Amino acid sequence: EDLWASLIQWWATHDMGDGNSFNASAAYFYYGDVSPDGNTALAFGGVGHNATNAGGDFISDFGVLDGVLSYVRGAGVLSMEWIKNFRANDAVGDSGFAFGGAWTFDSGDKVFYQFQNIEQDAIFSPVAQDDLLRTTNHSSHVFGWDRKLTEAMSLRVWALASELEEDMGLNDDTEYRIRVDLNLRF
């Protein structure tokens, strides 16, 4: 058997005029057979989940509700997200949240900030958060700056500070990343 997933998603926007809007979305992700035939390769390698002592399956199953609210007022955006894994084992953390904001200047430059706290089994980590140092079991701050260079090219400079939420015998020091991305649109 192979890993499989199902998704249902809803979203809505309320336009209040003059560039102001309120947005909401909710999604439910259901993952089936996340360790087919006892294969726990996804459980290790720093992704943050634990397998059973026998090494045959993950401790948790994954049925994740993800809700997002955002408010846009002119050049500013405020947003928050809530995550809950309803199929997690009682012994591990099963929820997470994030909040952040962004501001776009008249020049087209944008600055942004986000804080997130994701417990150990709040999400199925192999398919989440590819730009961060940790995919789950962390508290992280991300901040950055976007600069539009041309209509099809932009530069993003951003920094991240991240630390483990739950000590799993791993390095629990705060880790940092500074990154520069050149983005092209086709």
Side-chain angles (χ1 to χ4, degrees):
E1 271 188 67
D2 294 325
L3 164 71
W4 60 273
S6 295
L7 162 70
I8 185 168
Q9 187 171 19
W10 167 88
W11 63 270
T13 297
H14 175 66
D15 186 352
M16 297 180 288
D18 294 330
N20 301 326
S21 66
F22 180 75
N23 309 285
S25 71
Y28 183 76
F29 302 86
Y30 184 94
Y31 297 93
D33 201 15
V34 295
S35 49
D37 299 325
N39 180 355
T40 56
L42 295 176
F44 303 103
V47 297
H49 298 307
N50 278 333
T52 61
N53 290 339
D57 287 310
F58 289 103
I59 288 176
S60 291
D61 291 319
F62 295 89
V64 180
L65 179 63
D66 182 7
V68 178
L69 296 173
S70 68
Y71 176 67
V72 178
R73 181 173 174 95
V77 177
L78 294 175
S79 63
M80 63 180 162
E81 180 174 15
W82 175 75
I83 301 165
K84 172 80 170 168
N85 179 4
F86 287 98
R87 297 180 68 216
N89 185 291
D90 291 339
V92 294
D94 63 0
S95 60
F97 67 90
F99 61 85
W103 183 266
T104 303
F105 297 93
D106 291 338
S107 65
D109 287 9
K110 179 170 72 173
V111 293
F112 59 90
Y113 169 79
Q114 177 178 313
F115 172 78
Q116 55 188 323
N117 180 285
I118 310 297
E119 292 180 333
Q120 184 175 350
D121 283 358
I123 57 175
F124 185 53
S125 64
V127 295
Q129 314 219 37
D130 61 336
D131 284 336
L132 300 182
L133 294 169
R134 297 176 172 95
T135 54
T136 189
N137 190 30
H138 67 93
S139 288
S140 297
H141 299 270
V142 180
F143 55 95
W145 167 68
D146 287 341
R147 173 76 180 204
K148 184 177 177 180
L149 302 174
T150 69
E151 285 300 315
M153 188 180 343
S154 65
L155 180 71
R156 172 174 280 187
V157 179
W158 60 278
L160 165 73
S162 183
E163 58 187 40
L164 286 174
E165 269 301 294
E166 181 73 28
D167 182 13
M168 297 172 54
L170 303 171
N171 177 5
D172 63 354
D173 294 338
T174 301
E175 294 185 64
Y176 301 92
R177 171 182 281 174
I178 297 175
R179 186 165 146 176
V180 178
D181 298 329
L182 183 63
N183 299 306
L184 303 172
R185 283 190 315 207
F186 297 91

